[in-house]
Amino acid sequence: SSTDAETCVKALCLFARKLGKTIFVVIHQPRVEVANLFDRLLMLTSFPGRLVYDGPMKDAPAYWANLGYPVPQDSNATDHYMDLITPNDRNDKSCYFAAEYLRRQRPQIAKEVEEAIRNPELRRTTLKYLQDERRGQKDLGLGRLPAVAPSKFSVIVFRQIWMIAERKVKLMLRN
């Protein structure tokens, strides 16, 4: 139900902020209250999945209005966007919005990526990223995670089995 979706998204927002993590969500026809909980909106057309918007959720109405398609009063903004970018719909403007994305948003995103690549502070290998994340991780009551070491496997199989068994025992004892 929409109330369950709102509760779920609120919980995800809490986890993301508390743990400092990014969470990707795919959601179908969210209510206005749910859509407004998201920080960022990434919209794709179907067939073949072209980007039409990538930016802060709060900036989306102004972006679409600048393109000549303001959100009608008393309507759900995400429904309005989807109506405009759904191919073969009577209001299909997907080609227009995909072209505008390439013209307006993509150059800025490409610039940000180039800056991140050039900045050694932002460049980290996956191993370094995981090591940094592991060091700053809080104990969530699920047991201590082992250090990340360079290997073919991030954690040896025996250790993985041991961790799963240990967690299962803790959960059984708790219940």
Side-chain angles (χ1 to χ4, degrees), residues 36-161:
N36 289 336
L37 293 171
F38 293 109
D39 298 323
R40 190 164 191 88
L41 176 65
L42 178 83
M43 294 198 77
L44 303 166
T45 66
S46 58
F47 310 116
R50 297 163 294 165
L51 273 164
V52 294
Y53 181 78
D54 178 14
M57 186 68 171
K58 64 180 177 48
D59 295 348
Y63 177 81
W64 293 74
N66 280 339
L67 294 176
Y69 294 89
V71 178
Q73 191 171 3
D74 299 324
S75 71
N76 184 332
T78 54
D79 285 343
H80 174 67
Y81 307 148
M82 289 305 296
D83 289 344
L84 292 170
I85 65 168
T86 301
N88 302 324
D89 187 69
R90 62 182 166 80
N91 297 323
D92 178 15
K93 304 281 187 256
S94 59
C95 291
Y96 170 72
F97 287 109
E100 286 301 311
Y101 169 81
L102 292 174
R103 189 173 76 79
R104 294 172 181 244
Q105 288 191 291
R106 190 171 180 204
Q108 179 60 33
I109 292 170
K111 182 180 169 190
E112 291 172 16
V113 169
E114 286 175 25
E115 287 173 9
I117 290 170
R118 273 189 250 124
N119 185 346
E121 297 269 326
L122 299 175
R123 267 184 295 166
R124 295 187 289 176
T125 64
T126 304
L127 176 62
K128 177 82 172 109
Y129 177 79
L130 289 172
Q131 288 169 334
D132 292 347
E133 284 290 308
R134 192 64 54 91
R135 265 193 294 281
Q137 203 165 46
K138 299 174 181 125
D139 182 12
L140 300 175
L142 301 173
R144 201 171 74 48
L145 295 170
V148 178
S151 75
K152 183 177 176 183
F153 305 101
S154 61
V155 179
I156 62 171
V157 174
F158 175 75
R159 179 71 179 141
Q160 292 177 36
I161 293 169

